Amino acid sequence: MKPLILRNVKLNPIVAEYVNQFYDVISVEELTAENAHQIEVLLTNGTGQAPKELLDRLPNLKLIDDFGVGFDGVDIAECKRRNITVCTTPGVLTDDVADLALAHILAFSRQMCLAHHEVVSGAWAAGHKSLGLGRKVSGKRVGIVGLGRIGKAVAQRCHGFNMSLAFYDRYLSADKAAADLKAMLGVEPELTRYDDLVELARNSDYLVVCAAATPENHGLINEEVLTALGPQGTLINIARGVLVDEAALVKVLQEGKLGGAGLDVFAHEPNVPAALLTMKNVVLTPHIASATVETREQMASLVIGNLKAFREGTPYLTALTL
Ligand code: 8YV
């Protein structure tokens, strides 16, 4: 009989193939008072939930192996207290997530979804052209909320579009940000740091949310911020849905106080506020920022590497410092 391993999400197929060689996998629904004490490893992903109530049921848990860079569903304080290691997949998905932010900027501004529909519906061929003009992206102002690894990769790409760069990040000084970007770009970009998120929004054409979903960031993008972004402004969220007050977002879009939104993440995935589904000034994707063959292979390789390290007692590849 193989040892048991617990999953609280559906496993990536590459990870599953490795895991099945050494473990019998059970889901949280299959956890019982009898088998819970056997669990030493929990397999999760960036949106998987590991609250204290679950951790309390797992007295021998040693590793949470996360197929993702986000760990907002994991009770980190409890992991720290109990010395449970948490491994994530940092770095390997940065490019893809930043690429998707740019894809949203372009898709929204150049009306890609409406334009595609105009062709496939036959409207264009029939001469019923209803598509108005889009908006130019090159040369516009981008405001980046959270200038970590992903935020900087977004800045790097926006610089390529001759956009002016500004950011809001409580933990990063203007000098450090400028030095980091200079190292990436080879030139020092024009970069403005805002202490006030509303001011950043007021001075941005695109506000791109790249921050982590820490409890203090919940609802960070509120009605005041969205209104400051304004009728010519676009919100892009490739981070986490909870960072945005979704009710306020729907309200400002309905009232025409915000130009539009490109959203890959939502507060209650896979549920999307019904009002957004019929709006023409939104582009919606189903949390696909890291969903490419290449990146998912690299993420799987880190998850497997960390599990291997656990099994062999060697150092973890990407353990969080708790
Ligand atoms: C994944 C993510 O979609 O890395 C994250 O935090 O949200 C995404 O890369 C998620 O982990 C599901 O596999």
Side-chain angles (χ1 to χ4, degrees):
M1 233 184 65
K2 295 181 221 165
L4 292 183
I5 194 166
L6 182 66
R7 64 170 179 88
N8 64 354
V9 291
K10 193 166 174 281
L11 296 186
N12 164 273
I14 305 170
V15 172
E17 196 183 324
Y18 175 83
V19 168
N20 287 331
Q21 294 174 55
F22 306 103
Y23 294 94
D24 285 329
V25 184
I26 61 166
S27 66
V28 171
E29 292 71 36
E30 293 167 306
L31 199 60
T32 64
E34 288 70 47
N35 63 23
H37 71 279
Q38 295 177 43
I39 300 296
E40 293 186 318
V41 181
L42 167 65
L43 299 167
T44 189
N45 69 20
T47 54
Q49 298 302 306
K52 186 167 185 316
E53 301 77 68
L54 176 62
L55 301 181
D56 282 349
R57 296 171 66 192
L58 307 168
N60 295 315
L61 188 67
K62 296 189 174 60
L63 169 65
I64 297 181
D65 201 0
D66 175 358
F67 187 92
V69 73
F71 49 88
D72 35 294
V74 178
D75 187 332
I76 291 293
E78 186 61 10
C79 290
K80 188 173 177 174
R81 195 186 68 76
R82 283 183 46 194
N83 222 2
I84 298 166
T85 301
V86 181
C87 292
T88 61
T89 63
V92 295
L93 45 72
T94 304
D95 282 342
D96 273 2
V97 179
D99 288 352
L100 194 82
L102 268 292
H104 267 282
I105 290 176
L106 290 163
F108 172 76
S109 302
R110 304 308 304 271
Q111 309 182 91
M112 292 297 283
C113 301
L114 300 176
H116 175 81
H117 184 72
E118 183 139 316
V119 176
V120 299
S121 69
W124 189 44
H128 305 311
K129 197 167 180 295
S130 62
L131 197 65
L133 297 177
R135 285 280 178 172
K136 182 168 178 165
V137 172
S138 295
K140 290 280 166 61
R141 302 166 301 169
V142 65
I144 300 172
V145 182
L147 203 66
R149 259 189 302 255
I150 292 170
K152 284 177 196 142
V154 169
Q156 183 185 31
R157 285 155 176 74
C158 289
H159 185 257
F161 280 84
N162 291 326
M163 298 170 89
S164 70
L165 309 175
F167 75 101
Y168 170 86
D169 189 320
R170 296 188 201 99
Y171 307 103
L172 192 65
S173 70
D175 286 350
K176 174 81 169 75
D180 289 352
L181 283 183
K182 188 176 176 192
M184 292 169 81
L185 296 167
V187 289
E188 190 155 336
E190 198 190 310
L191 178 69
T192 310
R193 181 182 188 277
Y194 284 88
D195 272 332
D196 181 355
L197 189 47
V198 175
E199 275 310 303
L200 174 70
R202 206 185 310 288
N203 290 287
S204 299
D205 298 303
Y206 300 93
L207 193 68
V208 184
V209 186
C210 304
T214 53
E216 68 270 22
N217 282 349
H218 285 208
L220 187 68
I221 311 298
N222 57 24
E223 187 169 346
E224 199 190 351
V225 173
L226 295 167
T227 307
L229 187 54
Q232 302 300 324
T234 307
L235 176 76
I236 306 292
N237 190 2
I238 43 75
R240 284 290 183 266
V242 292
L243 297 171
V244 176
D245 178 342
E246 270 184 355
L249 175 63
V250 168
K251 181 169 176 279
V252 294
L253 284 168
Q254 282 170 336
E255 292 171 351
K257 291 180 180 164
L258 177 69
L263 308 170
D264 185 52
V265 288
F266 304 89
H268 306 288
E269 294 174 8
N271 300 311
V272 175
L276 294 179
L277 302 178
T278 52
M279 289 182 186
K280 288 196 166 160
N281 54 343
V282 297
V283 175
L284 310 174
T285 50
H287 200 146
I288 55 162
S290 70
T292 66
V293 172
E294 296 86 345
T295 292
R296 289 290 165 88
E297 277 174 11
Q298 286 185 286
M299 291 166 74
S301 157
L302 284 178
V303 169
I304 290 169
N306 284 314
L307 186 54
K308 196 160 178 278
F310 168 77
R311 294 181 53 247
E312 295 173 358
T314 53
Y316 290 113
L317 305 182
T318 51
L320 295 179
T321 311
L322 300 184

